[in-house]
Amino acid sequence: MSASFVETKVLKVDPSSISFPDPETGLPHISDPVTAANIQTAVNLLKLESEPIAFPTETVYGLGGSALSDRASRAIYTAKNRPADNPLIVHVSSLAQLERRLGLKVPEAYTPLLDHFWPGPLTIVLPVDKEKSPVSSVCTHGQNTVAVRMPAHPVARALIALSDIPLAAPSANASTRPSPTRAQHVLTDLNGRIPLILDGGACDVGLESTVVDATVFPPCLLRPGGVSLEQIKEAGGSGWENVVVGKLSAAANEQVRTPGMKYKHYSPRAPVVLFNGCGSNNNGAEYVEKYFKLNSTTKVSGMKIALLTTRFFDQEEINKVLPEGSAFVSQKLGSKGSDISRNLFNALREMDEHEKVDLILVEGIDESNEGLAVMNRLTKASSQIITPSLFN
Ligand code: TXA
Ligand code: MG
C-alpha cells in the first residue's frame, strides 16, 4: 500500500540562520523566523509518527521518521519503495541522545573516529540488545546491530534536537535512483508520496556517509563515502590502520553484512558507460572511439549523448569521434575529488531529467581519497565499464 497526498509541500529553510549556542542541551537558536516556523512544521509531522519527511544533510537529502516507531519506519520503506531487508541508518543530534533515547553506548574502538568526524559523514555500526533498546526492529530489520550517524548539517541537527526523536533516514531518492543532493531531486522522485520536503539548498559532500563496522576484528569499511579510507586510517590510530575494505558489491541472493550493496543503485534512466583508467595519458577520445566501434550494433545515429568529464578527458576532442548524427552535451564534474563527489549525482540527474539524453559517458578517476566512493557509485550506476585492457 502506498500513501498518496494531494501535494508534497516544499518549504525553504536557511541553514546559515541556525546555530547551536548551548552544547549542554544541543538545542538550536534559529534567527530567521521563516526557517524556525518551517522546521517546527517538520517537527510536528515527525511527532505524528506516520509519514516521513525529507530534509537536507551534508551528504545527501534524507527521508526521516522516528527510529523508535515501527509504523514510522515502515512508512519510509513504502515511500521510497525500498526492499524491507535493507536496514536504515539512525541519525542522532548528540551522544547523550544516543544513550538516553536508544539505550546505546559507543564502544571505545570508535572514539578516535568520532573525535575527528562527528558530527559529519561517518556512520558506525553498533551492537544492539533487541530486548533492551527501543529502536524499531523494522528500522534494523531485526538485526543485532544498528548503524548510527550524527549529521553536521544544521537543519538535520536542529530537527533531531528539537523533536528529540532519533531519525531513521535513508537517502530520500526512490529506490534504485541516484541519491538526491537538492530538494528538486527529492520532489522528482517522491512527489505525492510524502507530505513535506525542507529545502536547505545543495548538499556539500554530495555522496553518502562512509559506513564502518568495529563490531568485527579487524574493523571493516562497509561503504566508502564522505570520509575517505585514508582519513580513517590516519585518524583512527592503531586498530584502524588495518581496516579491511569489505566487498563492495554482491549478488541479490547473497548473505552480506551491509545489505545495501546487493541492490541496483544510483541509476539514471539512460545507460551509463564508465571509462576507467582511459584518460591518464591522453584526452580520452581514442577510447571513446573504440567504445563506439565495439558497440557498432548500438543504434547511435540520432542519439543524444552526454559526456561527464573529470581530470583528463577533452570535450572537444571527444566530440570529433562521436557517431555521425548524434547530439552531444557535456559537463565537467571537476578535477578535485571533493568537487567530483559534490557534482556527480546532480549531473547524472540533470542529463537524465532535463537533457533527456539516451546515453551517459563518464570519465572515472583513480580510487585514492574521494575516488574510492566516487568509483563505487559509478560502478553501480553503470551498465558497461570500459578499461584499456578490453582492447589489448
Ligand atoms: O549519508 C548518508 O548515510 C545518508 C544520509 C541521509 O544520512 N543516508 C543513507 O542511507 O545513505 P541509505 O539507507 O541510503 O544507506 C544506508 C546503508 C545501506 O547500505 C545499508 O545496507 C547500511 O547502510 N546499513 C544500515 N544498517 C546497517 C547495519 N546494521 N549494518 C551494516 N550496514 C547497515
Ligand atoms: Mg540510499
Side-chain angles (χ1 to χ4, degrees):
M1 198 181 65
S2 74
S4 81
F5 296 88
V6 177
E7 60 162 346
T8 296
K9 263 195 201 150
V10 182
L11 298 179
K12 291 254 184 214
V13 284
D14 174 7
S16 72
S17 73
I18 306 172
S19 58
F20 297 87
D22 184 355
E24 277 292 289
T25 64
L27 289 171
H29 171 74
I30 308 177
S31 60
D32 170 38
V34 174
T35 299
N38 291 346
I39 288 183
Q40 190 56 48
T41 301
V43 166
N44 295 344
L45 283 168
L46 287 171
K47 286 190 170 161
L48 297 178
E49 296 189 349
S50 69
E51 301 307 331
I53 58 129
F55 59 95
T57 85
E58 71 279 17
T59 56
V60 299
Y61 273 72
L63 184 64
S66 172
L68 306 171
S69 157
D70 288 350
R71 182 165 81 133
S73 299
R74 200 170 289 120
I76 297 172
Y77 288 88
T78 305
K80 63 176 276 165
N81 205 10
R82 181 182 179 100
D85 67 348
N86 190 6
L88 309 174
I89 294 177
V90 179
H91 298 66
V92 295
S93 59
S94 68
L95 286 172
Q97 187 187 55
L98 180 69
E99 202 169 332
R100 184 169 47 77
R101 296 289 273 151
L102 291 163
L104 295 175
K105 277 202 166 151
V106 175
E108 252 173 54
Y110 289 116
T111 310
L113 292 186
L114 299 203
D115 287 347
H116 275 87
F117 303 117
W118 270 20
L122 179 76
T123 296
I124 60 174
V125 174
L126 300 178
V128 61
D129 182 338
K130 286 187 254 182
E131 306 301 315
K132 290 194 184 141
S133 172
V135 65
S136 160
S137 61
V138 177
C139 169
T140 59
H141 183 54
Q143 298 200 89
N144 53 11
T145 57
V146 59
V148 179
R149 138 168 146 81
M150 189 191 293
H153 197 290
V155 172
R157 280 180 72 191
L159 208 55
I160 302 164
L162 284 172
S163 63
D164 199 21
I165 299 173
L167 292 185
S171 47
N173 51 292
S175 203
T176 80
R177 305 270 298 132
S179 295
T181 58
R182 286 166 165 72
Q184 180 58 47
H185 301 164
V186 183
L187 193 64
T188 301
D189 282 15
L190 302 181
N191 193 8
R193 298 181 70 86
I194 58 172
L196 175 67
I197 301 168
L198 289 180
D199 180 356
C203 299
D204 192 43
V205 178
L207 296 182
E208 303 85 343
S209 62
T210 300
V211 183
V212 289
D213 184 357
T215 67
V216 290
F217 189 82
C220 188
L221 182 140
L222 296 176
R223 178 178 73 179
V227 175
S228 72
L229 178 63
E230 289 85 345
Q231 286 176 301
I232 285 171
K233 285 184 176 170
E234 197 187 319
S238 67
W240 290 94
E241 278 151 10
N242 301 318
V243 58
V244 172
V245 178
K247 203 174 155 216
L248 298 179
S249 62
N253 56 359
E254 226 174 294
Q255 275 285 340
V256 288
R257 291 237 302 282
T258 194
M261 72 167 70
K262 68 185 182 183
Y263 295 107
K264 182 175 153 72
H265 246 121
Y266 315 118
S267 307
R269 290 183 189 87
V272 174
V273 178
L274 172 61
F275 289 81
N276 189 359
C278 296
S280 45
N281 295 313
N282 62 36
N283 57 34
E286 177 193 343
Y287 289 106
V288 172
E289 189 169 27
K290 284 180 175 171
Y291 159 75
F292 281 111
K293 285 208 175 116
L294 189 73
N295 289 271
S296 54
T297 50
T298 315
K299 184 189 159 294
V300 282
S301 182
M303 256 186 151
K304 186 166 181 185
I305 300 168
L307 173 71
L308 303 178
T309 67
T310 55
R311 293 177 177 150
F312 303 103
F313 275 25
D314 183 308
Q315 304 179 353
E316 277 178 32
E317 291 302 314
I318 290 173
N319 195 7
K320 289 182 199 158
V321 302
L322 293 183
E324 234 174 276
S326 57
F328 181 51
V329 47
S330 64
Q331 188 178 319
K332 188 166 168 77
L333 296 172
S335 298
K336 274 168 53 189
S338 55
D339 292 336
I340 297 166
S341 303
R342 186 180 309 112
N343 295 328
L344 179 62
F345 286 146
N346 183 52
L348 288 176
R349 281 181 175 266
E350 217 170 277
M351 292 305 157
D352 217 25
E353 287 151 19
H354 298 126
E355 297 290 344
K356 303 206 183 319
V357 302
D358 303 296
L359 180 67
I360 305 177
L361 311 179
V362 190
E363 177 192 0
I365 57 174
D366 70 87
E367 293 196 342
S368 62
N369 302 308
E370 290 93 342
L372 189 64
V374 167
M375 291 304 279
N376 171 257
R377 306 309 190 268
L378 276 173
T379 303
K380 291 186 178 205
S382 59
S383 52
Q384 202 173 355
I385 300 176
I386 304 298
T387 59
S389 63
L390 265 183
F391 307 105
N392 287 341

